[in-house]
Amino acid sequence: DGGITQSPKYLFRKEGQNVTLSCEQNLNHDAMYWYRQDPGQGLRLIYYSQIVNDFQKGDIAEGYSVSREKKESFPLTVTSAQKNPTAFYLCASRLAGGPHNEQFFGPGTRLTVL
Amino acid sequence: AQSVTQLGSHVSVSEGALVLLRCNYSSSVPPYLFWYVQYPNQGLQLLLKYTSAATLVKGINGFEAEFKKSETSFHLTKPSAHMSDAAEYFCAVSGKNTDKLIFGTGTRLQVFP
């Protein structure tokens, strides 16, 4: 089955630690996205990538980093510089070809800082 | 700049009643509009999308939405609510020459027996 996988489902981190969230897709989509979701705030874009080895900052990139070494993978690192990292993180992908193409979402990773 | 406003962060209906979730958009170019649904602790699933082909769009699970340019609206409706419709619903907009979606803040739908 084609889709997007995110791991782990739940993640706990101590303050001051970096942590990497995994996102893999087998849909052969060109673009991939990372969002952060907080209650009452909807989805906010962290980073996105349209092609391998290239990515752009979204609206809230500070304290986060990404890489896009392979088309199917787009890991997100939450660094110790992110002041309030506890949130639900969603990865998405989209087929190139126009803005009418919808984004497909993974199941999400819930990160809790202890 | 594009934006989306969802009126009402919480909507409650009785089972069998009409569901109406409101979405208004702002866009300087013809928009593409999307409705997504999210169940607790899960990702988002596409309900339906408007891509300028037809103003009345039918989606999954009996939902539909009507694009009204004069009102800059794309409200989501379902004639008869079911308990399984309880979830959070997000409206989103994208325009030409952009790879990004702009999301509303979401509306949580509760369905009472």
Side-chain angles (χ1 to χ4, degrees):
Chain A
D1 286 340
I4 302 175
T5 57
Q6 292 186 242
S7 60
K9 179 71 173 176
Y10 299 95
L11 188 56
F12 298 90
R13 185 195 97 172
K14 293 182 179 180
E15 282 193 25
Q17 288 182 334
N18 292 353
V19 63
T20 297
L21 282 59
S22 169
C23 177
E24 304 276 334
Q25 55 97 1
N26 62 4
L27 300 167
N28 199 33
H29 285 174
D30 303 281
M32 297 186 74
Y33 306 80
W34 273 106
Y35 294 92
R36 170 180 172 140
Q37 186 177 19
D38 297 282
Q41 295 193 47
L43 277 70
R44 292 183 289 170
L45 183 63
I46 304 172
Y47 269 98
Y48 66 105
S49 168
Q50 295 167 287
I51 57 173
V52 174
N53 293 323
D54 187 45
F55 47 82
Q56 288 79 41
K57 293 182 179 180
D59 301 318
I60 57 165
E62 184 175 353
Y64 300 96
S65 66
V66 294
S67 62
R68 186 87 186 275
E69 298 178 0
K70 299 185 294 183
K71 186 176 183 178
E72 60 269 24
S73 178
F74 191 42
L76 173 74
T77 297
V78 184
T79 75
S80 57
Q82 169 51 235
K83 298 305 179 187
N84 186 22
T86 294
F88 191 51
Y89 290 87
L90 288 161
C91 179
S93 69
R94 188 179 68 84
L95 187 66
H100 58 280
N101 289 336
E102 66 267 28
Q103 292 184 15
F104 291 79
F105 284 81
T109 292
R110 186 166 297 279
L111 173 64
T112 302
V113 174
L114 303 173
Chain B
Q2 295 169 305
S3 65
V4 172
T5 301
Q6 291 185 243
L7 293 175
S9 58
H10 291 83
V11 170
S12 297
V13 300
S14 298
E15 192 172 21
L18 172 71
V19 175
L20 171 60
L21 304 182
R22 299 179 185 273
C23 173
N24 288 87
Y25 70 91
S26 172
S27 178
S28 58
V29 296
Y32 299 105
L33 294 156
F34 305 82
W35 274 102
Y36 284 88
V37 61
Q38 184 183 36
Y39 299 100
N41 291 311
Q42 295 187 26
L44 276 67
Q45 178 184 6
L46 182 71
L47 276 176
L48 49 83
K49 65 178 180 180
Y50 167 74
T51 58
S52 77
T55 57
L56 183 62
V57 182
K58 295 186 182 297
I60 62 172
N61 302 338
F63 285 94
E64 64 181 35
E66 186 172 7
F67 173 72
K68 292 186 176 181
K69 185 178 179 179
S70 61
E71 299 177 7
T72 60
S73 69
F74 190 56
H75 302 330
L76 182 71
T77 61
K78 182 174 180 177
S80 176
H82 192 273
M83 296 295 289
S84 61
D85 294 327
E88 189 152 22
Y89 292 81
F90 292 94
C91 183
V93 63
S94 73
K96 290 185 178 180
N97 303 319
T98 177
D99 288 309
K100 297 190 289 185
L101 282 179
I102 307 300
F103 285 88
T105 53
T107 297
R108 184 167 297 281
L109 176 66
Q110 288 185 300
V111 182
F112 294 100

